[in-house]
Amino acid sequence: MSTDTSTPDVRPTDHTGLRVLSIDECLERLDRTAVGRIAFVLDGEVTVLPVVHTRDGVDVCFRTTGSSKVGAAVDHDRVAYQVDGFDARTRTGWSVLVQGTAVLVTQEADVRRLDLGSARSWVPQHEHGYQWIRVRTASITGRALG
Amino acid sequence: MSTDTSTPDVRPTDHTGLRVLSIDECLERLDRTAVGRIAFVLDGEVTVLPVVHTRDGVDVCFRTTGSSKVGAAVDHDRVAYQVDGFDARTRTGWSVLVQGTAVLVTQEADVRRLDLGSARSWVPQHEHGYQWIRVRTASITGRALG
């Protein structure tokens, strides 16, 4: 994020005129958004599924059942995690994109910490037999419109 | 979609207990949702970007500038388009996923029809120099929770 702006009001924008969010702004929006979307490639098909996430440092973690499609994407491919918010009336909005690799959380201490620190899954069945998946973040980017 | 249910109240659910939406329900939710997300792979990275869409039959179309990342994904890869809606208070929600291939809309008649039938882009710059991209739908699936 550029810090060489001459006035506090000048904010960086991309080539389409969208305001570039700082990493802190991206993390703050991840924190205040309950549901995001995990996107991954499975058998050559791009798949996007909503999940309830919890942030762990710059990583994003979420629960999944062992039999879920997301589980199949772990450890063998790049993934993305996305959160956004929109107001159709004012035609404004923002989007944050996390890109990285999905790994299974296997350390018991990590699982316990995630269990304690996170919101309950919205899908009751996931309370039993779920696994935590971590998106090991390689990049976080965000844009805002309006 | 299971059709061998014994009462009209029994609705098909998937292995996680989510209600399976019919194709008509999926299309109806696409229609009443202004913003969705296009997901694609570019240089090995999964990317997810929000856009304002318009439905054209079972396909989903949206505008993009020629220089956008989405443009680079056209004609060479599978893509997904996703819309959803959530209520954090009641912990309910739904998601619709369109999977297919992205193609550039090149026929002038198609461009005119899409221009006339669609909502204005939210990004002012896109009014000039934009292109229409069509997600040629291979499958539409949807799930609802609660």
Side-chain angles (χ1 to χ4, degrees), chain B residues 5-13 19:
Chain B
T5 54
S6 51
T7 76
D9 282 353
V10 177
R11 295 177 167 182
T13 57
R19 184 165 74 81

Side-chain angles (χ1 to χ4, degrees), chain A residues 37 45 84 91 120, chain B residues 37 45 78 84 91 120:
Chain A
R37 298 144 204 104
E45 296 286 343
D84 59 31
R91 303 167 76 93
R120 197 157 47 86
Chain B
R37 297 143 205 106
E45 296 285 343
R78 304 285 288 181
D84 59 31
R91 302 167 76 92
R120 196 156 49 85

Side-chain angles (χ1 to χ4, degrees), chain A residues 15-18 34-37 39-41 44-51 65 67-69 78-82 84 86-89 91-95 97-100 119-127 138 141 145, chain B residues 15-18 34-37 39-41 44-51 65 67-69 78-82 84 86-89 91-95 97-100 119-127 138 141 145:
Chain A
H15 72 281
T16 60
L18 299 176
V35 175
R37 298 144 204 104
F40 54 96
V41 179
E45 296 286 343
V46 182
T47 300
V48 185
L49 297 175
V51 292
T65 56
S67 60
S68 78
K69 285 182 184 173
R78 303 286 288 182
V79 302
Y81 194 80
Q82 192 258 4
D84 59 31
F86 296 99
D87 185 334
R89 198 181 47 80
R91 303 167 76 93
T92 56
W94 58 270
S95 175
L97 180 65
V98 173
Q99 292 175 308
R120 197 157 47 86
S121 168
W122 289 17
V123 182
Q125 287 87 336
H126 285 191
E127 299 298 333
T141 53
L145 171 66
Chain B
H15 73 282
T16 59
L18 299 176
V35 175
R37 297 143 205 106
F40 54 98
V41 179
E45 296 285 343
V46 182
T47 299
V48 185
L49 297 174
V51 292
T65 55
S67 61
S68 78
K69 285 182 184 174
R78 304 285 288 181
V79 302
Y81 194 79
Q82 192 259 5
D84 59 31
F86 296 97
D87 184 334
R89 199 182 45 81
R91 302 167 76 92
T92 57
W94 58 270
S95 176
L97 180 66
V98 173
Q99 291 174 310
R120 196 156 49 85
S121 169
W122 289 17
V123 182
Q125 286 87 337
H126 285 191
E127 300 297 332
T141 52
L145 170 66

Side-chain angles (χ1 to χ4, degrees), chain A residues 38-115:
Chain A
I38 180 79
F40 54 96
V41 179
L42 184 61
D43 298 333
E45 296 286 343
V46 182
T47 300
V48 185
L49 297 175
V51 292
V52 174
H53 66 263
T54 186
R55 185 161 70 82
D56 193 35
V58 295
D59 293 347
V60 173
C61 301
F62 60 90
R63 290 184 188 87
T64 182
T65 56
S67 60
S68 78
K69 285 182 184 173
V70 187
V74 163
D75 279 340
H76 79 98
D77 245 329
R78 303 286 288 182
V79 302
Y81 194 80
Q82 192 258 4
V83 292
D84 59 31
F86 296 99
D87 185 334
R89 198 181 47 80
T90 57
R91 303 167 76 93
T92 56
W94 58 270
S95 175
V96 168
L97 180 65
V98 173
Q99 292 175 308
T101 317
V103 294
L104 202 62
V105 177
T106 52
Q107 296 282 337
E108 228 176 274
D110 289 340
V111 171
R112 224 174 4 246
R113 186 165 42 84
L114 290 170
D115 279 342

